[in-house]
Amino acid sequence: MSLILGISAYYHDSAAAILKDGHILAAVQEERFTRKKHDPGFPANAVQYCLSQAGCCLEDIEAVVFYDKPLLKFERLLETFLATAPRGFGGFLRAMPVWLKEKLYLKQLLRKELLALSPGLHKSQLPELRFTEHHQSHAASAYYPSPFDHAAVVCLDGVGEWATSSLWEGKGKRLKALAEIHFPHSLGLLYSAFTYYCGFKVNSGEYKLMGLAPYGNAVYVDKIYQHLIDVKEDGSFALDMRYFDYETGTVMTSRAFHALFGGEPWPQDKSPDQRCMDLAASVQQVTEEVVEKIAKHARQITGAPALCLAGGVALNCVANGKLRAAGIFDDIWIQPAAGDAGGALGAALASWYLENGSAAKPELDQMSGAMLGPEYSQHDIEAAIKRWSVVAQQPERNALYHIVSQALSQGLVVGWFQGRAEYGPRALGNRSILGDPRNPTLQRMMNLKIKQRESFRPFAPAVLSEHFSAYFDGGPGNPYMLEVNAVKPELLITVSDNVSGLEKVNSIRSCIPAVTHVDYTARVQCVDSAIHPEFHALITAFYEQTGMPMVINTSFNVRGEPPVCSPDDAIRCFLATEMDMLVIGPYVINREEVRGDMVEKAKQTTFEKD
């Protein structure tokens, strides 16, 4: 038996994953335990969870694999600072102390953290430490869990050690690097620059920029191509670094960028204006066009019928949907934990297949619906219910589905906590907030009163896979909520509406308005009964009651927090918001039966919003 532990840490979204003879047993982000969104620290809790899920101790592990190579990253930092001297001297002074104190000695740091998890363990008993390159981790996370035996693999993110974009070919168990684009030229950092300029946080606000784009007009596309990025037919590109300051500075954009687009960066505490919307639409279109060119080149040089995607840019579900619609590949598979958290899994997988020459790659999706995180027992749930002094009912299971579907049909908002937590940024039906997609007021209400976030942000539908094609164009539908699809034209109805501002005046509305964005698209999750029987059964009950085979599905959290992990997290979040009902395991908790003092306690312990 071979157990391999993968770790990503020290940048953002630290995580751990564990394999048993190449099979994925568990994977989870550290933020779910610490409640610090995008927690970059050593994933001690995630590692402990992985070990417990495997039923082993640290000394039973064959190897611990880290998701990038720090010396290569340090080389890139030094060369960048030298190339931009003296302008980069301030950045050099800020970066060096942590590198000279910790990051250059990552082996020692990792050994120290691992020993702290196992008191009494001697250093000689620790597993072997291995390191993969950052994009190698991304590529492995994309290809090895995919159902393909031959695929092109494209990884696009901000930056790893040097690589910002890479192209690979996966064939059988072999994963071969074919091409790279190096820092500072980065599609991910181009998108992050516009994220920063439009008033959102880098490394967390990119999805907000994507959601803002349909409200704008892509009037800056030509300007972006003329000044910021030179793109070749094969998708390779170079940025004009006069317009950016992320090489050595503390901000993403330079004075030249600000002059080009007519002003200073938009304040983070101010609602975006039309210029921000137009900038978002423009960089989104450029991103889609560059990704499509890269994909065409990947098909040409690999001849592979399928494509696998990973890296932060692979979370751009609008670009993913456009890429599938382009028909360049017969099929596409996207790692649900496409960002740095997925690097933990990729590092472990890369090491497993490199070290085990006889291992065969399975030709099935290996991600278990991304449900790889912690699961809590009924005893754990009952203990949390007691701690929070809430009244809970325990109906029979089929009755529970009926109660929830009835509540949803009445316009109520339901917190849904079941089974194992999801790995990656999306809630896929185990740590979810649910609503009725037919309700035209629910999208705004859920954003402002429950999620406590910007009103323009769209919600996603979770649809029974067998009904996907009746409501959405394209296909076959993504189980991980990673592609955008257009709502079928015949489901759009004419309405009289005089809404202004971010909610554009439309004479046409979808019959599922709560999950339809302003451009009549939706970020769809297809729910399959074989992968997700519990969630499928609930949506089926809602369908049987209403004739609607989908529900609103958004992550169970408020702004500034990661999705809930434990029963305590779920009850606290429920009490601190205006959700109407919480279903936690077999128990139902109704809003009208909660105590006021517990609500105040929950609000006081809700983490600070970002």
Side-chain angles (χ1 to χ4, degrees), residues 73-327:
K73 187 172 284 187
F74 186 66
E75 174 190 88
R76 187 249 299 169
L77 289 172
L78 285 180
E79 288 195 22
T80 299
F81 288 135
L82 288 170
T84 56
R87 183 167 57 91
F89 187 65
F92 176 82
L93 290 179
R94 286 188 297 272
M96 284 307 103
V98 70
W99 275 94
L100 295 175
K101 184 179 178 182
E102 291 183 349
K103 292 187 177 181
L104 274 179
Y105 309 99
L106 192 62
K107 277 192 175 183
Q108 292 94 315
L109 179 61
L110 289 172
R111 289 192 181 108
K112 177 183 175 183
E113 296 283 9
L114 291 169
L115 285 170
L117 297 179
S118 301
L121 194 68
H122 190 269
K123 187 167 69 171
S124 63
Q125 296 173 283
L126 285 174
E128 176 189 357
L129 278 178
R130 300 173 186 168
F131 295 83
T132 62
E133 289 192 21
H134 188 91
H135 271 237
Q136 181 186 13
S137 298
H138 276 319
S141 78
Y143 175 62
Y144 289 122
S146 80
F148 311 134
D149 66 350
H150 185 204
V153 183
V154 172
C155 304
L156 304 167
D157 66 0
V159 61
E161 295 89 359
W162 277 105
T164 67
S165 307
S166 61
L167 171 57
W168 306 68
E169 182 178 13
K171 202 166 188 178
K173 58 159 284 181
R174 188 167 173 236
L175 189 56
K176 180 182 178 183
L178 301 178
E180 287 184 346
I181 296 173
H182 284 183
F183 183 86
H185 308 291
S186 167
L187 189 60
L189 292 176
L190 172 69
Y191 205 88
S192 292
F194 279 87
T195 299
Y196 162 80
Y197 188 68
C198 291
F200 302 119
K201 286 187 176 181
V202 173
N203 289 329
S204 65
E206 284 79 3
Y207 58 95
K208 298 181 184 180
L209 192 74
M210 181 182 69
L212 187 66
Y215 292 97
N217 301 301
V219 296
Y220 296 106
V221 168
D222 289 344
K223 188 171 283 190
I224 292 172
Y225 279 127
Q226 289 167 8
H227 296 274
L228 302 188
I229 184 169
D230 178 29
V231 185
K232 306 303 183 185
E233 277 307 304
D234 64 357
S236 60
F237 57 86
L239 302 184
D240 187 334
M241 295 310 299
R242 292 176 298 175
Y243 294 93
F244 304 94
D245 201 32
Y246 58 73
E247 276 186 285
T248 56
T250 58
V251 295
M252 296 297 296
T253 53
S254 70
R255 292 178 182 176
F257 189 105
H258 306 163
L260 182 65
F261 294 110
E264 293 297 306
W266 196 252
Q268 287 192 359
D269 59 352
K270 193 174 180 181
S271 296
D273 67 353
Q274 189 59 48
R275 183 184 63 142
C276 290
M277 299 176 201
D278 292 344
L279 287 165
S282 301
V283 74
Q284 178 65 35
Q285 181 176 321
V286 169
T287 300
E288 292 164 10
E289 291 170 355
V290 174
V291 169
E292 185 170 327
K293 286 185 175 183
I294 292 171
K296 286 179 178 176
H297 180 63
R299 179 70 193 251
Q300 288 170 359
I301 66 171
T302 65
L307 173 67
C308 299
L309 295 172
V313 178
L315 293 172
N316 191 311
C317 52
V318 178
N320 296 341
K322 298 276 182 71
L323 190 56
R324 185 179 291 278

Side-chain angles (χ1 to χ4, degrees), residues 146 273 286 336 379 442 469 501 512 565 600:
S146 80
D273 67 353
V286 169
H379 175 76
L442 211 51
S469 60
I512 44 173
C565 182
E600 290 307 311

